[in-house]
Amino acid sequence: MENIVTDRLIIRKFEQSDWQDMHEYLSDKETVAFEPYDIYSEAQAKEEVARRSNDDSFYAVCLKGTEKLIGNLYLGKEDFNTWELGYVFNRKYQGQGYATESAKALLDHAFTHLGARRIIAMCNPKNDHSWKLLERLHMRREGLLLQNIYFKTDINGEPLWLDTFEYAILRSEWYQ
């Protein structure tokens, strides 16, 4: 993959040296609160960086100039030229437009170079930052799925069911 460069960011493949920056945000309980995993140890961050460096669905988002990894994007191919967008950003860099800037660049890349016809994204309705980002990207809220997924269980092993907002945008809408 060729790097995607924006005004302030470089979006690239993961490198082994990214593990410390990744650990910085994936070890933050607040950052991973809506993710399907718990906080990462240093060893887990090293393993995850190694895995992501060989996975074309994951993109490292780095500050231009310093190359500091401040978050990551996910863009996974599904059926019918549909791709799913995901993202996690270091809390220290949230609220500065980096997620919007990088996601916008990646969506444009997907529609222009990857042949994407439709891009979807899912998020927890309680995750205001996430669904507001999707709306800044002009994605359309297509549905509210009630108790459709769980990542954790209670002390009795019963699922803790979660609701999901589903968003999407078509290539034809992106270019309008």
Side-chain angles (χ1 to χ4, degrees), residues 55-71:
D55 186 339
D56 290 338
S57 298
F58 283 95
Y59 299 82
V61 179
C62 304
L63 294 175
K64 223 184 217 182
T66 63
E67 283 282 316
K68 173 154 181 77
L69 173 73
I70 61 166

PDB file of all heavy atoms in Angstrom, residues 55-71:
ATOM      1  N   ASP A  55      -1.613  -7.136   7.736  1.00  0.00           N
ATOM      2  CA  ASP A  55      -3.044  -7.110   7.432  1.00  0.00           C
ATOM      3  C   ASP A  55      -3.365  -5.823   6.689  1.00  0.00           C
ATOM      4  O   ASP A  55      -3.287  -4.734   7.257  1.00  0.00           O
ATOM      5  CB  ASP A  55      -3.835  -7.204   8.745  1.00  0.00           C
ATOM      6  CG  ASP A  55      -5.333  -7.324   8.538  1.00  0.00           C
ATOM      7  OD1 ASP A  55      -5.836  -6.943   7.457  1.00  0.00           O
ATOM      8  OD2 ASP A  55      -6.011  -7.777   9.479  1.00  0.00           O
ATOM      9  N   ASP A  56      -3.749  -5.942   5.430  1.00  0.00           N
ATOM     10  CA  ASP A  56      -4.029  -4.765   4.597  1.00  0.00           C
ATOM     11  C   ASP A  56      -5.287  -4.013   5.008  1.00  0.00           C
ATOM     12  O   ASP A  56      -5.588  -2.952   4.459  1.00  0.00           O
ATOM     13  CB  ASP A  56      -4.148  -5.173   3.124  1.00  0.00           C
ATOM     14  CG  ASP A  56      -2.809  -5.580   2.529  1.00  0.00           C
ATOM     15  OD1 ASP A  56      -1.759  -5.175   3.067  1.00  0.00           O
ATOM     16  OD2 ASP A  56      -2.815  -6.312   1.522  1.00  0.00           O
ATOM     17  N   SER A  57      -6.029  -4.522   5.989  1.00  0.00           N
ATOM     18  CA  SER A  57      -7.251  -3.849   6.443  1.00  0.00           C
ATOM     19  C   SER A  57      -6.970  -2.785   7.506  1.00  0.00           C
ATOM     20  O   SER A  57      -7.833  -1.975   7.802  1.00  0.00           O
ATOM     21  CB  SER A  57      -8.237  -4.867   7.019  1.00  0.00           C
ATOM     22  OG  SER A  57      -8.613  -5.795   6.042  1.00  0.00           O
ATOM     23  N   PHE A  58      -5.769  -2.802   8.088  1.00  0.00           N
ATOM     24  CA  PHE A  58      -5.437  -1.862   9.157  1.00  0.00           C
ATOM     25  C   PHE A  58      -4.463  -0.798   8.668  1.00  0.00           C
ATOM     26  O   PHE A  58      -3.509  -1.096   7.954  1.00  0.00           O
ATOM     27  CB  PHE A  58      -4.822  -2.588  10.359  1.00  0.00           C
ATOM     28  CG  PHE A  58      -5.860  -3.289  11.191  1.00  0.00           C
ATOM     29  CD1 PHE A  58      -6.140  -4.633  10.973  1.00  0.00           C
ATOM     30  CD2 PHE A  58      -6.562  -2.613  12.172  1.00  0.00           C
ATOM     31  CE1 PHE A  58      -7.106  -5.285  11.723  1.00  0.00           C
ATOM     32  CE2 PHE A  58      -7.531  -3.259  12.933  1.00  0.00           C
ATOM     33  CZ  PHE A  58      -7.802  -4.596  12.706  1.00  0.00           C
ATOM     34  N   TYR A  59      -4.716   0.436   9.088  1.00  0.00           N
ATOM     35  CA  TYR A  59      -3.909   1.588   8.689  1.00  0.00           C
ATOM     36  C   TYR A  59      -3.465   2.345   9.927  1.00  0.00           C
ATOM     37  O   TYR A  59      -4.291   2.668  10.791  1.00  0.00           O
ATOM     38  CB  TYR A  59      -4.735   2.533   7.808  1.00  0.00           C
ATOM     39  CG  TYR A  59      -5.216   1.901   6.527  1.00  0.00           C
ATOM     40  CD1 TYR A  59      -6.361   1.105   6.502  1.00  0.00           C
ATOM     41  CD2 TYR A  59      -4.527   2.101   5.338  1.00  0.00           C
ATOM     42  CE1 TYR A  59      -6.808   0.525   5.324  1.00  0.00           C
ATOM     43  CE2 TYR A  59      -4.972   1.525   4.152  1.00  0.00           C
ATOM     44  CZ  TYR A  59      -6.114   0.737   4.157  1.00  0.00           C
ATOM     45  OH  TYR A  59      -6.547   0.166   2.988  1.00  0.00           O
ATOM     46  N   ALA A  60      -2.167   2.650   9.994  1.00  0.00           N
ATOM     47  CA  ALA A  60      -1.621   3.462  11.068  1.00  0.00           C
ATOM     48  C   ALA A  60      -1.807   4.929  10.695  1.00  0.00           C
ATOM     49  O   ALA A  60      -1.522   5.324   9.565  1.00  0.00           O
ATOM     50  CB  ALA A  60      -0.133   3.148  11.253  1.00  0.00           C
ATOM     51  N   VAL A  61      -2.287   5.730  11.637  1.00  0.00           N
ATOM     52  CA  VAL A  61      -2.468   7.167  11.411  1.00  0.00           C
ATOM     53  C   VAL A  61      -1.395   7.882  12.228  1.00  0.00           C
ATOM     54  O   VAL A  61      -1.371   7.787  13.458  1.00  0.00           O
ATOM     55  CB  VAL A  61      -3.881   7.632  11.824  1.00  0.00           C
ATOM     56  CG1 VAL A  61      -4.028   9.140  11.608  1.00  0.00           C
ATOM     57  CG2 VAL A  61      -4.949   6.868  11.048  1.00  0.00           C
ATOM     58  N   CYS A  62      -0.500   8.577  11.511  1.00  0.00           N
ATOM     59  CA  CYS A  62       0.655   9.201  12.150  1.00  0.00           C
ATOM     60  C   CYS A  62       0.690  10.698  11.869  1.00  0.00           C
ATOM     61  O   CYS A  62       0.288  11.146  10.789  1.00  0.00           O
ATOM     62  CB  CYS A  62       1.951   8.587  11.620  1.00  0.00           C
ATOM     63  SG  CYS A  62       2.019   6.799  11.823  1.00  0.00           S
ATOM     64  N   LEU A  63       1.212  11.448  12.846  1.00  0.00           N
ATOM     65  CA  LEU A  63       1.382  12.889  12.649  1.00  0.00           C
ATOM     66  C   LEU A  63       2.502  13.127  11.647  1.00  0.00           C
ATOM     67  O   LEU A  63       3.556  12.487  11.716  1.00  0.00           O
ATOM     68  CB  LEU A  63       1.720  13.571  13.969  1.00  0.00           C
ATOM     69  CG  LEU A  63       0.647  13.571  15.045  1.00  0.00           C
ATOM     70  CD1 LEU A  63       1.190  14.170  16.341  1.00  0.00           C
ATOM     71  CD2 LEU A  63      -0.590  14.329  14.576  1.00  0.00           C
ATOM     72  N   LYS A  64       2.259  14.033  10.728  1.00  0.00           N
ATOM     73  CA  LYS A  64       3.284  14.415   9.762  1.00  0.00           C
ATOM     74  C   LYS A  64       4.415  15.086  10.542  1.00  0.00           C
ATOM     75  O   LYS A  64       4.161  15.840  11.473  1.00  0.00           O
ATOM     76  CB  LYS A  64       2.676  15.421   8.770  1.00  0.00           C
ATOM     77  CG  LYS A  64       3.034  15.212   7.343  1.00  0.00           C
ATOM     78  CD  LYS A  64       2.426  16.353   6.544  1.00  0.00           C
ATOM     79  CE  LYS A  64       1.945  15.869   5.211  1.00  0.00           C
ATOM     80  NZ  LYS A  64       1.406  16.975   4.413  1.00  0.00           N
ATOM     81  N   GLY A  65       5.630  14.821  10.188  1.00  0.00           N
ATOM     82  CA  GLY A  65       6.759  15.459  10.861  1.00  0.00           C
ATOM     83  C   GLY A  65       7.355  14.582  11.947  1.00  0.00           C
ATOM     84  O   GLY A  65       8.527  14.243  11.891  1.00  0.00           O
ATOM     85  N   THR A  66       6.541  14.187  12.931  1.00  0.00           N
ATOM     86  CA  THR A  66       7.077  13.383  14.035  1.00  0.00           C
ATOM     87  C   THR A  66       6.894  11.890  13.809  1.00  0.00           C
ATOM     88  O   THR A  66       7.568  11.093  14.449  1.00  0.00           O
ATOM     89  CB  THR A  66       6.369  13.724  15.366  1.00  0.00           C
ATOM     90  OG1 THR A  66       4.987  13.376  15.252  1.00  0.00           O
ATOM     91  CG2 THR A  66       6.505  15.192  15.716  1.00  0.00           C
ATOM     92  N   GLU A  67       5.973  11.512  12.915  1.00  0.00           N
ATOM     93  CA  GLU A  67       5.648  10.102  12.649  1.00  0.00           C
ATOM     94  C   GLU A  67       5.006   9.415  13.854  1.00  0.00           C
ATOM     95  O   GLU A  67       4.906   8.202  13.895  1.00  0.00           O
ATOM     96  CB  GLU A  67       6.875   9.302  12.197  1.00  0.00           C
ATOM     97  CG  GLU A  67       7.271   9.537  10.760  1.00  0.00           C
ATOM     98  CD  GLU A  67       6.382   8.781   9.765  1.00  0.00           C
ATOM     99  OE1 GLU A  67       6.070   7.603   9.985  1.00  0.00           O
ATOM    100  OE2 GLU A  67       6.004   9.397   8.766  1.00  0.00           O
ATOM    101  N   LYS A  68       4.575  10.187  14.867  1.00  0.00           N
ATOM    102  CA  LYS A  68       3.935   9.580  16.037  1.00  0.00           C
ATOM    103  C   LYS A  68       2.613   8.958  15.624  1.00  0.00           C
ATOM    104  O   LYS A  68       1.766   9.598  15.019  1.00  0.00           O
ATOM    105  CB  LYS A  68       3.693  10.621  17.123  1.00  0.00           C
ATOM    106  CG  LYS A  68       2.874  10.023  18.281  1.00  0.00           C
ATOM    107  CD  LYS A  68       3.108  10.694  19.574  1.00  0.00           C
ATOM    108  CE  LYS A  68       2.312  10.058  20.703  1.00  0.00           C
ATOM    109  NZ  LYS A  68       2.852   8.812  21.187  1.00  0.00           N
ATOM    110  N   LEU A  69       2.436   7.682  15.992  1.00  0.00           N
ATOM    111  CA  LEU A  69       1.185   6.977  15.764  1.00  0.00           C
ATOM    112  C   LEU A  69       0.160   7.497  16.770  1.00  0.00           C
ATOM    113  O   LEU A  69       0.380   7.414  17.978  1.00  0.00           O
ATOM    114  CB  LEU A  69       1.386   5.466  15.953  1.00  0.00           C
ATOM    115  CG  LEU A  69       0.129   4.604  15.898  1.00  0.00           C
ATOM    116  CD1 LEU A  69      -0.382   4.495  14.470  1.00  0.00           C
ATOM    117  CD2 LEU A  69       0.406   3.234  16.465  1.00  0.00           C
ATOM    118  N   ILE A  70      -0.963   8.047  16.259  1.00  0.00           N
ATOM    119  CA  ILE A  70      -1.976   8.617  17.154  1.00  0.00           C
ATOM    120  C   ILE A  70      -3.292   7.844  17.094  1.00  0.00           C
ATOM    121  O   ILE A  70      -4.222   8.147  17.832  1.00  0.00           O
ATOM    122  CB  ILE A  70      -2.229  10.106  16.856  1.00  0.00           C
ATOM    123  CG1 ILE A  70      -2.750  10.301  15.431  1.00  0.00           C
ATOM    124  CG2 ILE A  70      -0.973  10.920  17.124  1.00  0.00           C
ATOM    125  CD1 ILE A  70      -3.332  11.682  15.174  1.00  0.00           C
ATOM    126  N   GLY A  71      -3.353   6.850  16.210  1.00  0.00           N
ATOM    127  CA  GLY A  71      -4.572   6.069  16.109  1.00  0.00           C
ATOM    128  C   GLY A  71      -4.501   5.133  14.927  1.00  0.00           C
ATOM    129  O   GLY A  71      -3.477   5.027  14.258  1.00  0.00           O
TER     130      GLY A  71
END
